Amino acid sequence: MVAYIIGIILVVIVLIIVGLVFRKRAYDMVDRLESWKLDIMDRNVASQLGRVKNLNLTGETQEKFETWKERWETILNKELPDIEENLFDAEQAADRYQFTKSKKVLSKGEQILNSIENDIKRILQEVDELLAAEASSRKDIEEIQPGLKILRKEISQNRYQFGKAESHFDKQIDELEAAVEQYEELAMSGNYIQAAQLVNEMKADMEVLDVQIKAFPEIYKQCKHDLPAQLDELLSGIKSMEDDGYRVGHLAFEKEIRTYQDRLLDGVRSLNEGNTSEVEKVMIEIEERIKEMYELLEKEALAKNYLETKFSGYQFSLDKLSNSFYDTKKEVEHLKQAYYFEDADMERYLSLEKTVTKLKDQLDDIAEELENDDTAHTEIREQVEEGFTQIEELEERHEAFKKQIQNLRKDELEAKAKLSEMHDQLYDVKRKLKKSNIPGVPNYIWSMLETASNKNKRVIVTIENQPLDMSEVQQSLGEAKKSVDHVIEQTDFMLEQAYLTEQVIQYANRYRSSNPILAAKLAESERLFRSYEYELALEQAAKAIEEVEPGALKRIESTQSVMAE
């Protein structure tokens, strides 16, 4: 029971503490909103609104001022006092521990104060905007008025430079001056925002007008005088070139120039009405095209001069190449009787012949074009320049081909020289074998000699064939060379083995009487030696001496090498 009472007491204490905390929070909120309310009441909004009184309080300005003033008075006389009552109600509710009600009342009060803050901020911003708009537009209008006088003066003093467009620009200045009067009316009636918008439009229009007026005299002069004069001069130059034999008719410039002259006349009419943008585009197009025309005419003049100085040289170069190729052609016909030409060589030859013929035909066409007036010199020049390039390339190919056919004879002579050399080499091998003191020559050496000799004969047959096929000659020559080199190598090796065998046997004879086994092996080696089995004989003798005196074979080989040197 006691514990139950203590628990109740503790709960009550906790509730009291919680209530005190919530009440403290409510009081703090009331104090904060009260301070906020007092801060708003102390603000000098009325003096800020008083700045507007320096303007004309009529029309739009008066309406705005009345609206701002009414809203501020509502804040001071109604909304802020209502906030005071709300704060008192919230404080009483907190005293009675009606925290939900207190919180609701305080939340509503905070919302009202936020709304008031936003309204004050908006009012002051609108006031600043109105005053800034009035000051800015007044400053701009003070610059616009003298600017319009300067523009009108510039037109009146240079009327001849504007032609009929003078009335157009005067009308635009009149419209701007009328806009200035409209601004004055709007300002007098207190419509400063509309007046500021009007001034901004006037500034933009005046900037455009100022640019047009300053640029117009030069545009008008270019369109009416300068460009027509340039076109007349260009047309006269074209006629003079035609009289001097230049082929410019294919360019069709005369018709194009007439079209541009008509477009310039239309441009002058547009300028008299004050329209410059489209005319400027046409003028830029004509200026660029005149430049292009002069470049093309200059190109035609250079081409004519080029042909007058280079065409005879082109004829000479082509004739020289043609004559040189004719000599080559006769040589090829002669060589074809003695030599076989590969397909690739004949293709190169026929390609040269075809290109030379084509250039000669083209030369006739060019000569005919020069006689007639149908083809432009620039086009003919391109053909001649390309022809020079082809001649240079053909000369290189022709020289390479001539060297190639000249090499046919050279290769034939070299093949015969190599054949003679190999014949001498075989003779030397046979002579070397006869002079050697060996018991006899193994059959495989005679067989290789016969093979090499037959291959040499095969080379002779291929060389004597008509027409001569050098690829076949080179192939048979290579096979014969390989066979001759092989027989020389094998013969030298066989003789070295035979001589070394003799040396080994002679060296081993010192042990013969004292070593029956060695004597038997040497006897076998001598038998093989006499049977022309020199490799086996050397192997038998070397084995026998190495068993008795290790390292003896190397010493015998070294001695033989020194003697051979």
Side-chain angles (χ1 to χ4, degrees):
M1 186 67 179
V2 174
Y4 179 74
I5 294 172
I6 292 172
I8 292 173
I9 293 171
L10 290 174
V11 170
V12 171
I13 293 171
V14 169
L15 290 173
I16 292 171
I17 293 172
V18 171
L20 291 173
V21 170
F22 277 108
R23 189 163 63 179
K24 177 66 168 58
R25 289 181 180 176
Y27 289 163
D28 291 342
M29 184 69 170
V30 169
D31 291 341
R32 185 175 68 81
L33 295 180
E34 179 67 22
S35 298
W36 191 356
K37 183 201 71 167
L38 293 175
D39 176 66
I40 292 173
M41 293 177 66
D42 292 338
R43 293 182 192 175
N44 197 11
V45 176
S47 64
Q48 293 292 326
L49 293 176
R51 293 188 298 161
V52 179
K53 293 181 179 180
N54 295 326
L55 305 179
N56 294 319
L57 288 178
T58 56
E60 181 184 22
T61 303
Q62 183 178 8
E63 293 177 5
K64 287 181 175 292
F65 179 76
E66 293 297 336
T67 302
W68 297 333
K69 180 180 178 183
E70 181 180 350
R71 177 62 183 134
W72 176 239
E73 289 176 351
T74 301
I75 292 171
L76 288 178
N77 299 326
K78 185 177 186 306
E79 293 184 359
L80 292 180
D82 289 344
I83 291 291
E84 181 68 29
E85 292 180 7
N86 288 339
L87 294 177
F88 181 73
D89 292 341
E91 193 172 18
Q92 282 188 333
D95 290 340
R96 300 189 186 97
Y97 293 95
Q98 297 175 348
F99 298 118
T100 301
K101 179 180 178 181
S102 174
K103 184 178 180 181
K104 184 177 180 181
V105 172
L106 290 173
S107 178
K108 182 179 178 181
E110 187 174 20
Q111 290 177 359
I112 294 172
L113 287 172
N114 276 322
S115 177
I116 291 171
E117 281 285 3
N118 291 333
D119 286 348
I120 293 173
K121 183 179 180 180
R122 176 181 53 79
I123 289 170
L124 296 179
Q125 183 177 351
E126 290 179 355
V127 170
D128 290 339
E129 289 176 355
L130 178 63
L131 294 172
E134 188 278 333
S136 175
S137 59
R138 180 163 30 86
K139 179 182 177 182
D140 289 339
I141 209 69
E142 289 173 357
E143 295 175 356
I144 290 173
Q145 287 177 318
L148 291 174
K149 292 181 181 179
I150 291 172
L151 292 178
R152 192 180 291 279
K153 182 179 179 182
E154 184 173 348
I155 293 174
S156 63
Q157 291 179 347
N158 302 283
R159 294 184 181 279
Y160 68 95
Q161 294 182 351
F162 289 88
K164 295 180 181 179
E166 173 198 355
S167 60
H168 169 77
F169 291 121
D170 280 337
K171 181 180 178 182
Q172 285 190 302
I173 295 174
D174 291 341
E175 291 175 353
L176 287 172
E177 288 178 343
V180 171
E181 294 178 2
Q182 185 181 357
Y183 161 80
E184 298 291 351
E185 293 175 0
L186 289 171
M188 288 298 295
S189 60
N191 296 321
Y192 293 104
I193 300 299
Q194 294 182 37
Q197 293 175 350
L198 178 61
V199 170
N200 288 333
E201 294 174 0
M202 291 169 61
K203 279 180 62 180
D205 293 342
M206 187 172 173
E207 288 175 359
V208 173
L209 182 61
D210 181 62
V211 171
Q212 288 180 340
I213 290 176
K214 289 179 179 177
F216 188 87
E218 181 62 26
I219 296 173
Y220 189 73
K221 176 173 172 289
Q222 285 280 331
C223 188
K224 188 172 183 179
H225 301 291
D226 294 353
L227 285 178
Q230 290 181 33
L231 291 174
D232 291 340
E233 183 181 356
L234 178 58
L235 191 59
S236 176
I238 291 171
K239 291 181 179 179
S240 296
M241 289 184 71
E242 289 177 341
D243 294 339
D244 292 339
Y246 292 96
R247 300 175 183 178
V248 294
H250 69 284
L251 298 173
F253 283 165
E254 293 186 21
K255 182 179 179 181
E256 190 175 358
I257 290 172
R258 301 295 184 195
T259 301
Y260 284 138
Q261 288 173 333
D262 292 339
R263 292 180 68 181
L264 287 174
L265 291 174
D266 293 337
V268 171
R269 285 191 285 271
S270 296
L271 289 174
N272 286 330
E273 296 174 0
N275 300 323
T276 59
S277 58
E278 293 299 323
V279 176
E280 284 184 280
K281 293 179 182 178
V282 173
M283 289 171 56
I284 291 172
E285 177 188 342
I286 293 175
E287 287 175 345
E288 292 178 351
R289 185 54 180 156
I290 288 175
K291 184 179 178 181
E292 291 174 359
M293 288 179 178
Y294 274 114
E295 289 176 353
L296 291 171
L297 292 172
E298 182 182 8
K299 188 176 179 182
E300 176 63 23
L302 292 173
K304 184 175 184 293
N305 181 67
Y306 175 88
L307 292 171
E308 289 173 351
T309 57
K310 298 289 185 180
F311 183 68
S312 59
Y314 176 66
Q315 285 179 310
F316 176 78
S317 297
L318 187 54
D319 288 342
K320 180 181 177 182
L321 174 63
S322 179
N323 293 333
S324 176
F325 184 76
Y326 179 74
D327 294 338
T328 302
K329 185 176 181 180
K330 289 194 298 182
E331 187 175 2
V332 168
E333 294 299 325
H334 175 70
L335 289 175
K336 282 169 67 176
Q337 298 175 7
Y339 297 95
Y340 173 77
F341 279 78
E342 296 287 342
D343 290 344
D345 295 334
M346 287 305 299
E347 285 179 4
R348 282 191 287 272
Y349 167 72
L350 293 173
S351 175
L352 284 170
E353 183 179 32
K354 181 179 179 181
T355 307
V356 170
T357 303
K358 179 182 177 182
L359 284 176
K360 290 175 66 178
D361 293 341
Q362 187 182 53
L363 177 63
D364 295 337
D365 294 339
I366 292 173
E368 185 177 349
E369 289 173 349
L370 286 173
E371 291 295 326
N372 301 326
D373 294 334
D374 298 334
T375 308
H377 288 114
T378 51
E379 184 178 339
I380 300 175
R381 175 178 179 169
E382 290 176 0
Q383 296 179 43
V384 172
E385 287 177 336
E386 184 181 354
F388 269 122
T389 303
Q390 288 183 309
I391 288 174
E392 184 178 353
E393 179 188 349
L394 278 172
E395 286 174 344
E396 294 178 0
R397 290 167 55 193
H398 185 214
E399 286 301 317
F401 182 76
K402 286 199 299 183
K403 288 180 181 179
Q404 190 171 353
I405 61 176
Q406 289 169 3
N407 286 338
L408 289 173
R409 291 171 176 167
K410 181 181 177 182
D411 291 345
E412 180 185 4
L413 294 176
E414 289 179 353
K416 288 180 178 179
K418 287 181 181 179
L419 180 62
S420 177
E421 181 184 352
M422 289 188 296
H423 182 272
D424 293 341
Q425 287 175 329
L426 290 177
Y427 177 78
D428 290 340
V429 169
K430 293 176 182 178
R431 186 167 56 83
K432 185 185 292 186
L433 289 171
K434 288 180 181 180
K435 289 175 63 177
S436 66
N437 294 322
I438 60 175
V441 178
N443 289 331
Y444 72 89
I445 295 294
W446 293 120
S447 177
M448 285 191 288
L449 278 168
E450 184 178 0
T451 300
S453 180
N454 290 335
K455 289 189 176 181
N456 276 8
K457 292 177 181 178
R458 170 63 182 161
V459 176
I460 295 173
V461 171
T462 56
I463 289 177
E464 291 176 350
N465 284 339
Q466 292 293 328
L468 178 63
D469 187 346
M470 282 309 302
S471 62
E472 186 180 357
V473 171
Q474 294 293 347
Q475 182 179 353
S476 60
L477 190 65
E479 293 175 356
K481 179 73 167 58
K482 185 177 179 181
S483 183
V484 170
D485 290 342
H486 183 61
V487 73
I488 292 172
E489 178 185 354
Q490 291 299 314
T491 299
D492 290 341
F493 181 68
M494 180 271 294
L495 292 174
E496 287 176 5
Q497 287 183 321
Y499 295 147
L500 183 58
T501 302
E502 288 180 334
Q503 295 295 323
V504 172
I505 292 173
Q506 290 175 8
Y507 186 87
N509 281 336
R510 67 184 67 181
Y511 299 106
R512 198 164 194 165
S513 59
S514 61
N515 193 329
I517 297 175
L518 172 66
K521 290 182 178 180
L522 289 178
E524 176 62 19
S525 176
E526 289 173 347
R527 185 189 69 78
L528 292 171
F529 186 80
R530 287 191 297 273
S531 300
Y532 320 148
E533 298 289 346
Y534 302 114
E535 186 174 1
L536 293 175
L538 177 60
E539 182 180 346
Q540 186 73 15
K543 184 177 180 182
I545 191 63
E546 285 292 323
E547 290 176 352
V548 176
E549 184 183 337
L553 181 62
K554 285 187 177 179
R555 288 192 293 275
I556 295 169
E557 288 177 340
S558 300
T559 302
Q560 183 172 339
S561 297
V562 172
M563 291 176 64
E565 292 176 356

